[in-house]
Amino acid sequence: ALVRTDGQQIVEYGASLAVDYPAEMRNKIEAGLEDAKQITDRAERPANLEQLEQEVTDLHANAVNLFIQENALTSNEIDLIGFHGQTVLHRPGHALTVQLGDGDRLAKATGIDVVYDMRANDMVAGGQGAPLVPVFHQAIASALDCKAPICFVNIGGISNITYVNGDELIAFDTGPGNMLIDQWVQTCVGIPYDQGGKIASEGRINQAIVDRYMATDFFKKDGPKSLDRNDFPPLEADAAELSDGARTLARITATAIIRATDHLPCTAPPKTWVICGGGRLNTMIMADLTALAQEHGAIVLRAEEAGLQGDMLEAQAFAYLAVRSAAGLPLTFPTTTGCDEPVNGGVLARVVTRAT
């Protein structure tokens, strides 16, 4: 996603492109998640992780170069790439986070300076290393025609929220996002995700399963807090019928998000929930969020309904963060990750020579 920004309040959006991981890469990443459990130092790359890091980086380079070609650009017209990489391990309790992605390799392959490895500095300063996007949410909130306070929700594998009310900025992970649903349908029928919540739409909620997951200690903690994908066990294969399991797990995702209001040390409760990430396309998660938010006197909007590009928001955010990083501005704050003080992050990989 192409963004022009000063890394503060000015954010202008340009062209964008989505490129899927090949199926075989998805399988390699799944295997890499298992290999990464051996890591005790973030520089380690056991088993096949070193090769996987190169392949992940090269796929990103191909995507950038395709984007440049399709939009009739040159590398000299782009100042920075914000490169998040592929998370394979995140253990905030051990100040350990690993994102596969070689910034120097990407800079060389694209001819563009790269900011990468954006989470580590926050952990050095006592933070959770996540979420990183809240400062971007704060920058774009004032331009939205939404009733404040606003809660941005990103539903990826893990869900997280950003509460914005003027200068008030609070963020933390809320619980599982799409992760448990994806694992469920992959185990039961061998498909990667429940597209649009179609499977869940044919099922019924098993409240006992909801209650069991919601009794997890994580939901009793105040923020800042963050999660690794291994923190919640998959639903047992014999615990429910296919559609009932998918429907129940969608309810867990929504319940965890709305219950986050119990842990917001804010001056006023959210009036608008803006839902981002892949989970906004699951009709059952959205239906549950809408119903639960109404009980709190709030409305729920998909990112597009708020005037945002839902599929591109994360990419836009990391472009914005790259500019902040290069400018020496903080990416994380005590109220978003629990760091001791506002922290700049990221490593700048410069192209040795750039054409003029």
Side-chain angles (χ1 to χ4, degrees):
L2 190 61
V3 172
R4 178 181 287 111
T5 180
D6 62 353
Q8 297 185 72
Q9 293 304 310
I10 298 172
V11 183
E12 301 172 6
Y13 307 115
S16 58
L17 173 72
V19 180
D20 290 337
Y21 272 143
E24 61 271 21
M25 178 54 66
R26 292 176 62 93
N27 295 334
K28 289 180 180 180
I29 290 171
E30 289 291 336
L33 293 169
E34 290 300 313
D35 294 337
K37 291 178 181 179
Q38 306 171 43
I39 294 175
T40 57
D41 182 285
R42 62 189 315 270
E44 295 173 356
R45 296 293 184 267
N48 295 316
L49 287 182
E50 184 175 357
Q51 176 64 30
L52 180 59
E53 183 164 50
Q54 293 179 7
E55 293 181 24
V56 165
T57 303
D58 292 346
L59 283 173
H60 280 77
N62 293 342
V64 170
N65 290 328
L66 178 62
F67 173 83
I68 289 171
Q69 178 184 347
E70 289 195 355
N71 290 283
L73 297 166
T74 68
S75 61
N76 288 334
E77 294 177 86
I78 301 171
D79 297 301
L80 284 172
I81 294 172
F83 180 32
H84 178 270
Q86 175 65 51
T87 297
V88 291
L89 186 71
H90 187 73
R91 292 178 178 162
H94 295 85
L96 181 61
T97 187
V98 179
Q99 287 74 45
L100 297 184
D102 184 335
D104 289 308
R105 187 182 180 94
L106 183 61
K108 183 177 180 180
T110 60
I112 304 168
D113 292 347
V114 173
V115 174
Y116 70 110
D117 198 14
M118 297 191 201
R119 299 187 185 273
N121 280 7
D122 178 77
M123 284 190 159
V124 171
Q128 297 274 312
L132 289 186
V133 177
V135 69
F136 173 71
H137 289 152
Q138 187 177 42
I140 65 175
S142 61
L144 302 184
D145 185 19
C146 297
K147 191 171 182 179
I150 300 172
C151 249
F152 293 86
V153 183
N154 181 58
I155 309 177
I158 300 293
S159 294
N160 58 67
I161 63 166
T162 301
Y163 172 94
V164 180
N165 191 20
D167 292 336
E168 205 172 4
L169 180 65
I170 303 166
F172 50 86
D173 285 354
T174 64
N178 303 310
M179 174 188 66
L180 293 177
I181 304 170
D182 294 349
Q183 290 171 336
W184 175 251
V185 297
Q186 178 68 48
T187 298
C188 292
V189 289
I191 59 176
Y193 61 97
D194 181 11
Q195 186 170 9
K198 185 174 185 338
I199 295 172
S201 70
E202 299 173 355
R204 295 181 296 180
I205 296 168
N206 184 321
Q207 192 60 43
I209 294 175
V210 175
D211 293 342
R212 174 159 60 90
Y213 271 96
M214 296 306 301
T216 302
D217 286 344
F218 174 83
F219 297 115
K220 302 171 186 175
K221 298 177 183 176
D222 292 331
K225 54 185 179 178
S226 66
L227 289 163
D228 180 74
R229 63 180 286 133
N230 296 310
D231 287 341
F232 287 90
L235 183 60
E236 303 87 349
D238 59 353
E241 178 269 335
L242 171 64
S243 57
D244 289 352
R247 181 69 188 91
T248 299
L249 294 171
R251 182 69 171 203
I252 290 167
T253 294
T255 301
I257 289 166
I258 299 300
R259 281 200 192 171
T261 56
D262 297 338
H263 300 280
L264 281 172
C266 55
T267 55
K271 291 297 183 184
T272 307
W273 295 80
V274 178
I275 315 303
C276 314
R280 79 191 193 286
L281 304 177
N282 185 308
T283 55
M284 293 297 97
I285 292 176
M286 290 300 297
D288 285 344
L289 283 173
T290 299
L292 293 170
Q294 284 176 347
E295 295 176 6
H296 291 76
I299 65 168
V300 169
L301 301 174
R302 284 190 179 87
E304 290 79 5
E305 294 172 319
L308 301 170
Q309 296 172 278
D311 287 334
M312 291 299 138
L313 209 61
E314 287 283 294
Q316 291 163 348
F318 280 93
Y320 173 85
L321 291 172
V323 174
R324 285 188 70 88
S325 175
L329 297 168
L331 306 189
T332 56
F333 304 83
T335 57
T336 63
T337 67
C339 52
D340 299 328
E341 59 185 3
V343 177
N344 179 255
V347 176
L348 178 60
R350 288 195 176 277
V351 178
V352 177
T353 57
R354 292 188 70 170
T356 58

